[in-house]
Amino acid sequence: SQTIHQWPATLVQPVGSPLSLECTVEGTSNPNLYWYRQAAGRGLQLLFYSVGIGQISSEVPQNLSASRPQDRQFILSSKKLLLSDSGFYLCAWSVGVPNEQFFGPGTRLTVL
Amino acid sequence: QQQVKQSPQSLIVQKGGISIINCAYENTAFDYFPWYQQFPGKGPALLIAIRPDVSEKKEGRFTISFNKSAKQFSLHIMDSQPGDSATYFCAASNRGSTLGRLYFGRGTQLTVWP
């Protein structure tokens, strides 16, 4: 069966520090991968998506970037965090039926 | 522009009652409508989904009703339980899209009182 992992689970970072969040999927090949952000009490904002290794598309211009170095690995990064980057970051995958997305457990990021 | 509009923002229901959450969309190319359930601190989980070739889909206590002409769909939770207290998101998508992007509603926070 397929599983999705995210780490770290929680992170507290100072403003201006770098960021690296990792997402890995097991039990499937060539998945579509997605990064979402969820601000407190709000909906899901799609940040990045990838249909293959090295293929990244951005939905919202910001100081975040994403990379897909391996088929089942998706990384979200920032060189300098802003206060507004705080939120709950979710990775999701889909395969076969592209619309059927499955979410990871999320990473809670607090920028102070 | 919000592709999918969801209401209400919050809902309080007594145990045993029926919870109803509504969503509306504009894009007639949408042909896949899932609902996700999210508990605090967890990722959303796919709950139930419907395609527009049927008007209703039922799984246990959860039912999706779909009205293609009105471009609306809703989630009904029968015999609501305190364990159903969570945030629910509707979404819509075009299954013909290779990306499979989901357009989410803003969510409904459901509280079921014992």
Side-chain angles (χ1 to χ4, degrees):
Chain A
S1 63
Q2 301 91 350
T3 57
I4 179 169
H5 304 279
Q6 287 187 246
W7 62 86
T10 60
L11 191 60
V12 180
Q13 292 284 93
V15 170
S17 64
L19 172 74
S20 181
L21 303 181
E22 190 167 341
C23 169
T24 59
V25 180
E26 296 178 354
T28 188
S29 297
N30 196 31
N32 286 356
L33 296 173
Y34 312 83
W35 277 113
Y36 290 86
R37 178 169 60 200
Q38 188 174 29
R42 301 190 66 179
L44 297 157
Q45 180 187 32
L46 179 63
L47 301 175
F48 300 94
Y49 58 90
S50 172
V51 298
I53 296 174
Q55 301 178 59
I56 308 294
S57 295
S58 172
E59 280 293 306
V60 182
Q62 58 217 326
N63 68 320
L64 299 173
S65 62
S67 62
R68 185 170 177 174
Q70 299 179 41
D71 180 44
R72 291 169 290 178
Q73 185 184 32
F74 206 20
I75 297 173
L76 183 69
S77 304
S78 175
K79 292 182 180 179
K80 289 185 178 181
L81 284 169
L82 306 173
L83 285 173
S84 58
D85 291 325
S86 293
F88 193 45
Y89 287 82
L90 290 155
C91 181
W93 68 273
S94 68
V95 68
V97 180
N99 321 73
E100 198 168 78
Q101 292 183 23
F102 300 93
F103 286 83
T107 294
R108 174 74 60 191
L109 172 65
T110 303
V111 182
L112 302 175
Chain B
Q1 181 184 1
Q2 188 73 15
Q3 296 265 8
V4 177
K5 296 181 180 179
Q6 182 173 348
S7 63
Q9 186 174 352
S10 62
L11 181 63
I12 300 175
V13 174
Q14 203 161 9
K15 178 182 176 182
I18 303 174
S19 304
I20 302 175
I21 304 170
N22 301 299
C23 287
Y25 65 98
E26 288 297 327
N27 189 342
T28 55
F30 289 155
D31 57 3
Y32 175 73
F33 304 91
W35 286 88
Y36 284 81
Q37 179 188 56
Q38 184 181 29
F39 293 106
K42 306 294 184 183
L46 180 62
L47 185 62
I48 185 173
I50 196 169
R51 301 176 192 177
D53 52 343
V54 296
S55 60
E56 185 176 283
K57 183 175 182 179
K58 183 176 181 179
E59 290 185 2
R61 296 184 293 108
F62 299 90
T63 300
I64 300 179
S65 297
F66 183 79
N67 186 329
K68 188 174 181 178
S69 60
K71 292 185 286 187
Q72 295 175 347
F73 58 109
S74 59
L75 177 69
H76 296 236
I77 306 175
M78 311 300 289
D79 187 25
S80 298
Q81 299 297 313
D84 296 331
S85 297
T87 300
Y88 292 82
F89 293 95
C90 64
S93 181
N94 177 359
R95 297 180 78 247
S97 165
T98 55
L99 166 64
R101 176 174 180 174
L102 289 173
Y103 294 87
F104 286 91
R106 293 190 184 276
T108 296
Q109 187 168 351
L110 171 66
T111 303
V112 181
W113 288 101

